[in-house]
Amino acid sequence: MRLLTHNFLRSNVKGTENGYPLNIEVTTINCEDSPLDKSFLLNLLPKVNYPALRTAVQQISQHCVPPLKEIPEQLDVSDKESNQNLDHETLKNLHRVLFDVYLIEGWLVCPDTGRKFPVKDGIPNMILHEDEI
Amino acid sequence: AEAEAEAEAEAQIDSELDAQAKYNKDTEHNNHNPIKPYHERSWKITIHTLGSTYTRQEQNEMRSKFSFLQFPGPVQMKHPDDEYLFIREVELDAMGGAVYPRHCKGEDGKTKKELIPENDARPPLACYFGRVLGNGTLGRNWRGSNRLFRYSLKKRTYLGPTSMDSELSLIMTNLAKVQKGSFAFDPFVGTGSILLTAALRGAQTFGTDIDLRVLRGRNPNENIVSNFQQYGLPPPELVRSDNSIYHRHFRKHLPLFDAIVTDPPYGIRAGARKSGSRRGDGEVRPVLEEYRYDHVAQTRPYAVSDVMADLLNVAAMTLVMGGRLTYVIPSMLDFNEEEDLPRHDCLKVVSVCYQPLQTELGRRTVTMEKVKEYDDRKRDEYLEGTWVNGPQSAEKVANIRERLIEAAKKKPGYEEKAAWRKQKRKETKEAKKRAKLEGAERSQFQVNQFNRR
């Protein structure tokens, strides 16, 4: 699972509306290198929840070898036009955190109920138990 | 004017060849196959007369009608540089035979006898002429292997009973306009066969499924990700989730996907399931905390009418404007395209392609496009409006498996065939058992030999 996916996942156990963003507990993590696809990234950025991304990066950064480069503390990504003006270094770092970091084993924890969703072989298991529907 | 058109066509082909030559320089394969200039290229015209036969002479008459194109190169029937295809389309029945056949059938039902003049005189539905870009012969690279064949399911490391054949997957992703830089989604990803063709076209891929076993595959070397690795493709993002409650697994987000391409579960080869208790009385036993870690969540049957309603609604919600949903739907002969296809206020049907499979069963590949923004407040309205004819239309799709079995049972010779199949299965099972025992005996023998030493 990459942070791109994590950015959209939430917990809705018993209808809680405060299950986003999920906290990440890392057991095993992998870092790869993929080429930056600028147009895809620019297309995607307005849909990304930036504060959630930043929190996620802070939670996993220590586990990454080499450690992840810092992304800006605050960034308004909602406007496609202004995103074009982001400097190359920032875009590269954003690409890296969104696409190149794979959580292989770990947990996604609901910030409201504490329910832990397992991540195994890189696949998060979000299925709610029958008493959580 | 004719000369102008010809010169324009020549210039068009020349510029295509230039682009091709540049592409070839950048790739390793084609150094042994340099691009010939236009006037040296050999060519042929292939004739496809669907559902009808024409003699060699009749075909050549059709070919001569295109002599005005005046291709400069030599005609070469075997492995030409360029192949052109002429298709003459007539009305076809459910089995792909002509509705108004040219010839009447012989006594064995097969040999064509005399011409039926009224049928032969009927004008075609349409005629198509174009240049073949890739197929059995043209798809071959210099090593002689067919490019399309590379993606055949026979070569795939991880397969399941519901894996979609590569040809249909490629067509579906084409219909959904999946291209480089697209974000493609398959909510019923299964073994990932459709998503793989999306990735082949350069898309970022995302797949979900409620079945954890099929997502994780048989072992680390036989799963969805290993299939992608087999073709050197970047891995898909996978999530185990339930499409019937997409909005509960995923936060509210701006439209995300350019294409949704999928083969929903219809209960023919794989039953559809959704989250929730199987208990009909509504009473759900709470899962005790100490068992929660290992608890396998209960799932319950997911009616086909709901599968489709949810699929269309998720598509309307998550597709960008102009984004496409392409899905397959099995249909028997009583299916009416106008009335029985599921609908959504935000989606417009772009195309429906029918493929006959058996006498009474076919499948349709339906493509829809998002034309209206999704309104959260109208969710219930959207879902209720899915089936114009109400549950009847959904039923036509839902019970196909049972209806097929019923139809097969009524055919003559069914009982003998069923008994023969049962006998065969028994024999295979016993042969396997014997082989296993022999194998075990052999290895035990080897162990004993080793111990004696």
Side-chain angles (χ1 to χ4, degrees):
Chain A
M1 184 203 72
R2 287 173 276 185
L3 292 189
L4 166 62
T5 306
H6 165 266
N7 199 267
F8 293 92
L9 287 172
R10 71 166 177 145
S11 157
N12 190 234
V13 169
K14 285 253 184 6
T16 173
E17 285 302 322
N18 303 318
Y20 180 83
L22 297 165
N23 294 317
I24 309 180
E25 282 176 20
V26 176
T27 310
T28 318
I29 206 164
N30 260 1
C31 292
E32 305 264 328
D33 269 309
S34 68
L36 164 66
D37 184 346
K38 194 168 174 196
S39 63
F40 189 82
L41 182 61
L42 289 175
N43 234 333
L44 180 69
L45 276 177
K47 307 164 192 182
V48 168
N49 179 316
Y50 190 80
L53 178 65
R54 185 131 205 293
T55 316
V57 171
Q58 283 172 327
Q59 288 176 345
I60 63 167
S61 189
Q62 47 193 270
H63 301 270
C64 294
V65 175
L68 294 176
K69 297 229 180 87
E70 283 285 320
I71 52 175
E73 204 173 305
Q74 274 182 19
L75 195 58
D76 181 10
V77 291
S78 55
D79 182 27
K80 215 175 163 191
E81 300 294 317
S82 54
N83 285 346
Q84 308 241 0
N85 300 329
L86 287 170
D87 61 291
H88 189 74
E89 199 53 39
T90 312
L91 284 177
K92 259 179 61 186
N93 293 337
L94 284 172
H95 169 91
R96 189 159 173 79
V97 302
L98 281 168
F99 293 99
D100 288 347
V101 185
Y102 294 81
L103 180 67
I104 308 289
E105 302 273 322
W107 300 92
L108 299 175
V109 189
C110 174
D112 189 4
T113 61
R115 153 72 143 114
K116 289 190 175 195
F117 296 92
V119 180
K120 285 198 187 131
D121 288 337
I123 303 175
N125 182 345
M126 308 304 297
I127 294 298
L128 298 174
H129 297 154
E130 55 274 23
D131 60 346
E132 292 171 326
I133 296 279
Chain B
E2 245 180 62
E4 268 178 33
E6 213 181 276
E8 209 182 283
E10 232 183 88
Q12 168 77 4
I13 296 186
D14 270 339
S15 71
E16 275 182 30
L17 294 178
D18 282 341
Q20 178 70 52
K22 181 177 182 305
Y23 170 79
N24 287 345
K25 268 201 224 145
D26 300 338
T27 57
E28 351 137 39
H29 294 306
N30 291 5
N31 294 326
H32 296 252
N33 208 11
I35 295 294
K36 287 192 209 143
Y38 174 56
H39 48 270
E40 286 175 33
R41 298 175 67 79
S42 59
W43 58 276
K44 77 162 177 174
I45 298 182
T46 304
I47 312 270
H48 273 185
T49 48
L50 306 178
S52 327
T53 5
Y54 286 79
T55 65
R56 184 73 64 85
Q57 194 191 351
E58 286 168 329
Q59 287 188 35
N60 281 339
E61 273 168 28
M62 288 190 207
R63 284 191 178 92
S64 63
K65 293 217 166 100
F66 293 96
S67 56
F68 71 90
L69 287 168
Q70 291 180 325
F71 294 127
V75 175
Q76 187 176 305
M77 293 314 271
K78 231 182 174 191
H79 302 302
D81 294 314
D82 290 319
E83 182 181 354
Y84 299 90
L85 183 59
F86 170 66
I87 304 177
R88 186 177 189 279
E89 187 187 7
V90 295
E91 278 128 307
L92 297 176
D93 61 28
M95 283 311 292
V99 173
Y100 306 102
R102 275 191 92 210
H103 303 91
C104 43
K105 292 207 170 117
E107 267 142 30
D108 57 5
K110 282 190 192 159
T111 51
K112 316 283 191 269
K113 289 219 147 176
E114 306 109 29
L115 206 62
I116 307 175
E118 325 74 84
N119 285 355
D120 187 45
R122 287 182 79 95
L125 278 183
C127 289
Y128 306 88
F129 186 82
R131 188 153 68 98
V132 178
L133 297 179
N135 67 0
T137 36
L138 282 195
R140 290 180 202 283
N141 61 20
W142 69 276
R143 282 200 194 88
S145 61
N146 188 329
R147 253 206 294 271
L148 196 66
F149 188 66
R150 270 187 77 207
Y151 305 116
S152 150
L153 285 185
K154 290 195 202 127
K155 302 195 158 220
R156 205 68 66 82
T157 43
Y158 176 51
L159 281 184
T162 55
S163 294
M164 171 151 301
D165 60 271
S166 49
E167 207 173 65
L168 185 57
S169 303
L170 283 166
I171 292 175
M172 285 176 76
T173 45
N174 188 303
L175 286 168
K177 289 189 170 179
V178 174
Q179 53 201 281
K180 187 168 191 322
S182 301
F183 201 172
F185 175 42
D186 185 346
F188 306 103
V189 69
T191 52
S193 43
I194 302 181
L195 220 51
L196 190 124
T197 45
L200 275 174
R201 295 184 184 283
Q204 285 289 332
T205 53
F206 179 59
T208 64
D209 205 292
I210 198 172
D211 188 345
L212 191 58
R213 291 164 303 173
V214 80
L215 277 177
R216 297 186 60 195
R218 267 179 230 117
N219 58 60
N221 294 324
E222 287 178 50
N223 54 33
I224 299 178
V225 177
S226 69
N227 276 349
F228 277 65
Q229 281 168 345
Q230 188 185 348
Y231 296 102
L233 295 167
E237 279 299 285
L238 299 170
V239 175
R240 183 187 182 213
S241 65
D242 177 352
N243 199 51
S244 74
I245 47 170
Y246 178 95
H247 57 290
R248 295 184 63 183
H249 292 305
F250 299 94
R251 65 165 168 93
K252 273 216 184 77
H253 58 77
L254 291 176
L256 195 59
F257 304 116
D258 301 293
I260 299 180
V261 195
T262 189
D263 178 17
Y266 293 104
I268 295 184
R269 282 171 300 174
R273 290 175 298 145
K274 62 195 271 195
S275 320
S277 171
R278 270 184 226 115
R279 293 178 65 143
D281 54 9
E283 282 291 312
V284 179
R285 257 197 292 169
V287 180
L288 297 174
E289 275 316 307
E290 56 263 34
Y291 297 133
R292 203 177 272 288
Y293 175 77
D294 275 334
H295 182 73
V296 176
Q298 266 191 34
T299 53
R300 55 197 170 100
Y302 187 13
V304 172
S305 52
D306 292 332
V307 171
M308 297 312 296
D310 290 335
L311 173 63
L312 264 63
N313 203 50
V314 168
M317 197 166 59
T318 60
L319 279 173
V320 301
M321 275 301 267
R324 288 190 169 189
L325 162 70
T326 299
Y327 66 89
V328 211
I329 187 167
S331 28
M332 300 191 75
L333 280 181
D334 57 356
F335 195 89
N336 179 335
E337 268 175 32
E338 286 301 312
E339 298 181 345
D340 293 328
L341 282 177
R343 301 177 185 204
H344 195 287
D345 201 33
C346 303
L347 306 171
K348 173 188 82 163
V349 173
V350 168
S351 73
V352 182
C353 308
Y354 179 71
Q355 180 190 8
L357 295 173
Q358 298 170 23
T359 326
E360 292 181 35
L361 178 69
R363 67 181 164 189
R364 289 181 155 81
T365 304
V366 182
T367 305
M368 302 179 89
E369 194 170 291
K370 178 166 171 175
V371 295
K372 211 179 185 184
E373 288 293 357
Y374 184 85
D375 184 351
D376 265 324
R377 300 163 298 179
K378 289 191 174 169
R379 188 187 143 85
D380 289 330
E381 227 179 278
Y382 291 142
L383 289 173
E384 268 157 47
T386 309
W387 302 99
V388 165
N389 277 346
Q392 285 171 309
S393 307
E395 285 309 300
K396 285 189 184 172
V397 170
N399 296 326
I400 288 193
R401 185 162 188 270
E402 284 77 15
R403 292 162 75 190
L404 281 174
I405 294 176
E406 283 309 308
K409 282 190 180 153
K410 293 204 190 100
K411 288 211 180 113
Y414 171 77
E415 290 190 10
E416 287 116 23
K417 277 201 194 144
W420 179 85
R421 274 196 294 258
K422 196 170 179 180
Q423 180 64 20
K424 269 264 151 180
R425 273 199 293 266
K426 211 172 162 191
E427 285 170 14
T428 329
K429 218 173 170 181
E430 279 166 15
K432 271 193 186 162
K433 240 185 184 170
R434 260 179 278 131
K436 218 176 173 182
L437 281 172
E438 279 168 21
E441 278 169 15
R442 218 176 295 131
S443 48
Q444 183 61 41
F445 178 68
Q446 283 166 351
V447 168
N448 290 342
Q449 288 282 63
F450 182 75
N451 286 340
R452 274 194 216 111
R453 282 194 230 120

